[in-house]
Amino acid sequence: METTHFSSSLLEDKNEADASIQNKETTYFYRKKVDGANQETERNKGEASKIEVRGLNLKIKNKVILNDINVKIPRNKITIILGPSGCGKTTLMKSMNRLTELYPEMNVKGEIFIDGEEILNSRRDVTEIRKQMGLLSQRPYPLPMSIYKNVAYGLKISGRLKKRFLDKRVEHYLRQASLWNEVKDRLRDPASGLSIGQQQRLCLARGLAVDPDIILADEPTSALDPISSQEIEKKFVELKNNYTIVMVTHILRQAARIADYVVFMYLGEVIEQGPANEFFNNPKTEITKAYLKGSIN
Amino acid sequence: MKKNSGKSFKKTRLKYEEYFFRWVMFLSNYIIALILGFIIYTILKTGIPALSLEMITETPKGGFYFGKEGGVLNAIIGSLYLGLGSTFLAFVVGLPVALFMNTWLMNKKRTVNLVRFILDLLWGVPSIVYGAFGFTLMVLLGLKASLLAGIIVIALLILPIMIRGIDEGLKNIPKGLYEASYSLGSTKSETAFKVMMKQTMPCIITAVLLSFGRAIGDTAAVLFTTGFTDNIPTSLSQPTATLPLAIFFQLSSPIPEVKQRAYAAAVILTAIILVISILSRVFTYRYKKHSIKF
């Protein structure tokens, strides 16, 4: 019941925003989105997965962190990367938007396709690739500016500078992250003054504002209290209609609650992947069974 | 019984140790405060009687250095010109260096550490060496002692302080904030100038004010490079008086009135630095609210 209520209110929001976009000076934004959608469907006839990782190996010096990872992540679903701490889940996620480049000691080899397009060795501008994906990290890192500017940042660096447009979009994305009602009277306040739970939702809004198709979330609830965690989970369930969500977690119950598709990793290898039902009810390997029982963690 | 007494002996020893070190730390704290208080007291006691409106509103008249009328306005203005100019120059050069070290060279730890080492070495070079270097440079270029030469030499002198000050702030920013910024699709320069600069603003302000304090107070580097004059400079190519040199010259005079005026000039210099320090606190506080706490 509750989820349907939420998603319907979200839909209203989106319709409102879209309508306002159509009659205002912002047709460019809308057109880009429609074009993008057309191209996507053309390019991906018969391709169900949004992200595909092929033969990904990652080493730090001589230590193998990821060993021959092959993963297919379905579009518009919540995919959970599950596994005990230190098994390479976060690293796998960071290679998806090439944040591994920040760590010179990491030696990455392999291929990652997004919508059938290779990104890891691509000559394409890495900022363009990263704009396809929003990132939520373990603990929120709001930018050192006001709440408003945090959300507007992504739009501003994409060259969207008109104030009326920004105002509307900021409100839209803050509503989408269910933060608007809490912050609408103090948009000019520093983001550092928000609670951790609010900061995480602000980071979600900020990520959505870049207009990605993918949301990467790295244990986004690990620093949050149970209620804020639930809000994030609920949000993800709503958002999966429009976004492909990849979430790293080591909390089994969280995975069971929201996953559509599960990738189970252990010691740098993918042990098992498949639809959530199958994974939880009918695990294939011994390691998975042991993990689900709780004897490995 | 014996065992027991051994235990209690250890206990009392620990207690005395604790007691002793607490007092050592307590005393060192108060000694520092006391020394500062003593310096300020000495300067004020000797300087205040000689301090007058004339001191800060007039340039030296004929016979000023023999105890006749006039003031040190030339040196006040000169010092401010020199301090502001060189701080500005060092900031304009230093900020990009610090940002570059921490954003573009982020993955080149060795290079960055080498740069840091070199800067620390430069920081330790005595200012008279900078003065000598500046003098040689001026002779080579055929320049005369001037405000511009002084600004350049002082800028070189405070550049390591500026860069390392800002760098220290940038160094402590966790990678998570870089990841957040890059994941939004920012380029390196956007990350550097829009995110990291804001995050480290309190540190930047502190670095600027530290540099300014050093610039306005330095004597040796300006000795050969700016010269000294009784006039307020009207262009960059003119020689300039500075407060530290004004103090130096007046203090070496045998006439007691002139000597006292040296202390008055010291009061003025100290006051300028005090104002700057207070301003820095206020600004740091104001900018701190935007920085994310980790």
Side-chain angles (χ1 to χ4, degrees):
Chain A
M1 271 304 278
E2 213 168 309
T3 38
T4 50
H5 163 74
F6 256 86
S7 52
S8 67
S9 76
L10 178 79
L11 266 177
E12 273 168 30
D13 274 3
K14 194 148 177 106
N15 287 341
E16 244 172 63
D18 282 354
S20 69
I21 284 165
Q22 265 177 321
N23 15 341
K24 292 285 146 65
E25 71 280 11
T26 53
T27 39
Y28 155 77
F29 179 80
Y30 196 70
R31 206 184 306 133
K32 186 192 118 197
K33 180 109 197 177
V34 172
D35 282 357
N38 283 341
Q39 272 176 14
E40 244 169 53
T41 46
E42 263 172 46
R43 205 192 298 136
N44 301 300
K45 275 175 191 163
E47 178 132 25
S49 51
K50 176 84 183 167
I51 308 174
E52 191 182 343
V53 181
R54 273 191 219 154
L56 185 74
N57 284 286
L58 195 146
K59 280 184 193 169
I60 294 180
K61 284 177 187 154
N62 284 323
K63 201 177 162 231
V64 177
I65 306 294
L66 296 175
N67 184 19
D68 194 27
I69 304 285
N70 289 289
V71 170
K72 283 186 178 175
I73 288 167
R75 119 186 8 256
N76 292 7
K77 294 257 161 60
I78 298 180
T79 301
I80 300 274
I81 303 179
L82 191 66
S85 305
C87 69
K89 307 178 298 264
T90 302
T91 315
L92 173 59
M93 170 163 288
K94 279 183 185 162
S95 21
M96 286 180 190
N97 63 355
R98 286 177 56 176
L99 279 181
T100 41
E101 283 169 13
L102 292 186
Y103 304 86
E105 65 275 15
M106 288 184 180
N107 184 6
V108 194
K109 286 204 176 80
E111 292 173 307
I112 295 177
F113 295 86
I114 288 176
D115 292 326
E117 194 187 334
E118 215 285 321
I119 55 142
L120 213 51
N121 311 302
S122 157
R123 286 257 188 93
R124 248 178 85 196
D125 189 4
V126 68
T127 58
E128 289 301 315
I129 294 168
R130 286 184 183 138
K131 274 181 192 167
Q132 292 178 289
M133 289 168 254
L135 178 78
L136 281 184
S137 48
Q138 291 190 13
R139 46 149 306 174
Y141 283 104
L143 303 175
M145 37 188 99
S146 70
I147 296 168
Y148 179 92
K149 281 188 178 163
N150 255 280
V151 185
Y153 180 81
L155 297 162
K156 276 189 180 165
I157 61 170
S158 305
R160 317 288 306 167
L161 293 172
K162 281 198 180 135
K163 198 180 169 300
R164 277 171 68 194
F165 173 81
L166 286 178
D167 284 351
K168 231 168 232 138
R169 289 274 102 189
V170 168
E171 180 178 344
H172 170 68
Y173 289 116
L174 282 173
R175 276 187 197 281
Q176 248 192 355
S178 6
L179 194 62
W180 176 252
N181 288 330
E182 292 159 58
V183 300
K184 64 181 171 198
D185 302 321
R186 47 179 181 143
L187 290 173
R188 304 284 159 192
D189 286 5
S192 55
L194 295 172
S195 76
I196 296 282
Q198 288 170 325
Q199 284 185 14
Q200 192 63 294
R201 277 179 284 148
L202 180 68
C203 289
L204 179 63
R206 180 186 71 186
L208 293 178
V210 187
D211 192 31
D213 337 299
I214 302 167
I215 298 172
L216 303 175
D218 178 10
E219 299 186 25
T221 61
S222 64
L224 306 188
D225 60 278
I227 293 170
S228 308
S229 305
Q230 263 180 20
E231 271 173 78
I232 294 276
E233 282 179 26
K234 232 187 255 170
K235 222 60 246 176
F236 278 5
V237 175
E238 289 165 28
L239 289 171
K240 76 176 178 185
N241 296 319
N242 300 311
Y243 299 91
T244 302
I245 298 173
V246 185
M247 177 169 154
V248 163
T249 188
H250 59 255
I251 310 165
L252 203 52
R253 275 162 50 195
Q254 187 176 45
R257 273 198 297 271
I258 60 171
D260 296 313
Y261 194 84
V262 178
V263 176
F264 175 60
M265 290 183 69
Y266 189 66
L267 297 178
E269 292 187 36
V270 172
I271 304 294
E272 197 172 334
Q273 55 180 312
N277 273 337
E278 222 169 280
F279 178 84
F280 287 110
N281 299 325
N282 191 13
K284 290 183 193 82
T285 61
E286 288 304 314
I287 303 175
T288 318
K289 279 175 197 162
Y291 183 72
L292 291 177
K293 251 191 265 165
S295 39
I296 320 175
N297 49 45
Chain B
M1 269 312 265
K2 243 185 177 175
K3 232 183 180 177
N4 226 350
S5 70
K7 218 177 193 176
S8 72
F9 171 72
K10 199 186 167 195
K11 235 182 187 171
T12 35
R13 207 198 66 176
L14 279 178
K15 216 169 98 184
Y16 278 116
E17 238 176 51
E18 182 77 16
Y19 190 73
F20 175 74
F21 281 111
R22 211 191 66 187
W23 269 100
V24 167
M25 287 182 249
F26 182 80
L27 279 179
S28 15
N29 265 312
Y30 275 84
I31 287 171
I32 289 173
L34 220 77
I35 292 172
L36 180 69
F38 190 59
I39 292 173
I40 293 178
Y41 170 77
T42 317
I43 296 170
L44 287 183
K45 195 189 149 214
T46 334
I48 288 282
L51 198 62
S52 60
L53 199 63
E54 198 189 357
M55 260 310 263
I56 53 173
T57 52
E58 275 177 48
T59 53
K61 300 276 154 48
F64 175 71
Y65 297 103
F66 302 104
K68 301 269 170 56
E69 67 257 35
V72 291
L73 184 68
N74 60 331
I76 297 173
I77 299 287
S79 267
L80 284 176
Y81 278 168
L82 196 69
L84 291 173
S86 57
T87 309
F88 176 74
L89 194 61
F91 178 73
V92 168
V93 178
L95 181 71
V97 173
L99 288 172
F100 185 74
M101 278 164 67
N102 286 284
T103 316
W104 279 266
L105 294 183
M106 191 184 204
N107 287 348
K108 302 205 164 78
K109 277 272 138 58
R110 271 203 185 158
T111 320
V112 175
N113 283 336
L114 182 70
V115 174
R116 280 189 187 130
F117 177 68
I118 293 169
L119 287 171
D120 287 347
L121 279 183
L122 285 176
W123 192 331
V125 171
S127 63
I128 186 78
V129 177
Y130 278 96
F133 168 74
F135 188 63
T136 321
L137 206 67
M138 278 159 52
V139 170
L140 257 173
L141 297 174
L143 285 171
K144 281 180 192 154
S146 63
L147 181 57
L148 182 66
I151 285 177
I152 292 171
V153 171
I154 294 283
L156 286 176
L157 173 75
I158 61 176
L159 199 54
I161 304 173
M162 182 77 82
I163 298 174
R164 288 293 276 129
I166 300 172
D167 175 50
E168 215 47 52
L170 289 167
K171 213 168 73 176
N172 293 326
I173 296 175
K175 276 217 164 153
L177 194 62
Y178 285 93
E179 287 182 1
S181 170
Y182 286 133
S183 73
L184 291 169
S186 358
T187 58
K188 282 184 173 163
S189 34
E190 280 160 349
T191 304
F193 287 104
K194 291 189 176 158
V195 181
M196 299 308 151
M197 206 176 117
K198 265 206 162 150
Q199 172 67 20
T200 193
M201 199 49 104
C203 263
I204 295 179
I205 293 166
T206 313
V208 166
L209 294 163
L210 261 178
S211 310
F212 181 77
R214 181 78 198 271
I216 205 168
D218 196 79
T219 325
V222 293
L223 196 56
F224 305 117
T225 47
T226 55
F228 199 86
T229 168
D230 286 350
N231 305 317
I232 295 169
T234 48
S235 88
L236 282 171
S237 56
Q238 286 177 359
T240 308
T242 53
L243 273 171
L245 279 183
I247 297 171
F248 176 71
F249 288 144
Q250 293 178 83
L251 207 56
S252 25
S253 158
I255 304 161
E257 287 91 15
V258 180
K259 244 183 193 160
Q260 220 180 18
R261 277 182 187 159
Y263 284 97
V267 171
I268 296 165
L269 186 58
T270 315
I272 292 175
I273 291 174
L274 193 73
V275 168
I276 296 292
S277 303
I278 291 169
L279 280 182
S280 82
R281 288 290 154 125
V282 173
F283 278 115
T284 314
Y285 182 75
R286 187 172 293 173
Y287 279 99
K288 227 177 199 156
K289 65 174 193 186
H290 272 298
S291 299
I292 309 300
K293 288 143 208 106
F294 301 106

